[in-house]
Amino acid sequence: MQNEYSNFLANTQDGFDDDGGKLFSHEIIRSRLNEKLWPVYERTKNKYALSQGDVLYFYAGGQGPLGGCVIARAKLHSIMAPMRRIPQRLYATGVVDSLLRLGEIELIEPTLLKPILIQQGVIKEENKKWGAFLMGGFSRIPASVANVLAGEAV
């Protein structure tokens, strides 16, 4: 699925629904993927680096049952201006700068990300603040990490 295109992690944290109830990050990811849309906020890291054809892997952060795992991937089909009214099912929490239209969406076997990042030399095992790599929305990942997540290499 990845050749000349870039690979990114789309990072999501736990949130809240309209009634103030806890919403785990994997639920937010699945809701957005069902809509085939992903919100991009004003201050999102790497938003200008994204382009059509890139492969996005979806990381569920937070304390939920799938926290720390990559649970899906999709291809970026297009980047659109935001709608006047953002669908509630996107659980957008800030000013939306653009929307990513997604295709070729696949739920993958939930895979812990940290061991792969260590194995591929992206972070060091002793790094206690490794989550800084994920901050800001979209983190570019090397092809070697994407290959492991795609099940193409171990």
Side-chain angles (χ1 to χ4, degrees), residues 100-152:
L100 305 181
R101 180 163 299 284
L102 306 172
E104 301 174 44
I105 297 167
E106 295 177 61
L107 295 178
I108 61 175
E109 186 67 32
T111 307
L112 282 172
L113 179 63
K114 184 178 179 183
I116 295 169
L117 294 177
I118 292 169
Q119 173 196 16
Q120 296 301 317
V122 176
I123 62 170
K124 295 184 189 284
E125 188 168 3
E126 62 272 8
N127 186 347
K128 300 259 188 272
K129 298 186 184 216
W130 73 276
F133 171 76
L134 300 171
M135 291 178 66
F138 291 99
S139 301
R140 190 183 299 265
I141 55 172
S144 62
V145 172
N147 289 339
V148 174
L149 292 170
E152 297 171 6

Side-chain angles (χ1 to χ4, degrees), residues 10 14-15 21 30 35 38 45 49 59 61 67 73 92 104 111 123 130 144-145:
D14 296 338
R30 287 190 177 141
E35 295 294 316
W38 196 268
K45 175 178 80 174
Y59 174 78
R73 71 177 170 181
E104 301 174 44
T111 307
I123 62 170
W130 73 276
S144 62
V145 172

Side-chain angles (χ1 to χ4, degrees), residues 6 18 34 36-37 48 57 61-62 73-74 76 95 97 103 114-117 125 134 137 153:
S6 295
D18 289 338
N34 284 339
K36 298 183 179 178
L37 293 172
Y48 297 116
Y57 289 85
R73 71 177 170 181
L76 173 54
V95 176
D97 184 67
K114 184 178 179 183
I116 295 169
L117 294 177
E125 188 168 3
L134 300 171

Side-chain angles (χ1 to χ4, degrees), residues 2-154:
Q2 52 277 342
N3 290 330
E4 68 275 3
Y5 301 109
S6 295
N7 301 288
F8 293 91
L9 285 171
N11 308 308
T12 306
Q13 293 297 316
D14 296 338
F16 299 94
D17 62 21
D18 289 338
D19 299 321
K22 182 81 165 177
L23 203 58
F24 293 119
S25 57
H26 73 276
E27 296 170 313
I28 295 170
I29 291 170
R30 287 190 177 141
S31 183
R32 290 173 176 177
L33 294 180
N34 284 339
E35 295 294 316
K36 298 183 179 178
L37 293 172
W38 196 268
V40 179
Y41 302 106
E42 284 183 306
R43 297 182 183 197
T44 297
K45 175 178 80 174
N46 285 324
K47 71 179 180 179
Y48 297 116
L50 296 168
S51 58
Q52 183 177 359
D54 286 345
V55 178
L56 306 178
Y57 289 85
F58 299 92
Y59 174 78
Q63 303 302 311
L66 297 177
C69 292
V70 175
I71 64 167
R73 71 177 170 181
K75 197 171 249 189
L76 173 54
H77 275 208
S78 61
I79 302 172
M80 311 178 331
M83 301 169 184
R84 188 174 289 239
R85 293 189 53 134
I86 303 296
Q88 285 184 320
R89 295 169 305 280
L90 294 183
Y91 298 103
T93 58
V95 176
V96 175
D97 184 67
S98 58
L99 290 170
L100 305 181
R101 180 163 299 284
L102 306 172
E104 301 174 44
I105 297 167
E106 295 177 61
L107 295 178
I108 61 175
E109 186 67 32
T111 307
L112 282 172
L113 179 63
K114 184 178 179 183
I116 295 169
L117 294 177
I118 292 169
Q119 173 196 16
Q120 296 301 317
V122 176
I123 62 170
K124 295 184 189 284
E125 188 168 3
E126 62 272 8
N127 186 347
K128 300 259 188 272
K129 298 186 184 216
W130 73 276
F133 171 76
L134 300 171
M135 291 178 66
F138 291 99
S139 301
R140 190 183 299 265
I141 55 172
S144 62
V145 172
N147 289 339
V148 174
L149 292 170
E152 297 171 6
V154 180

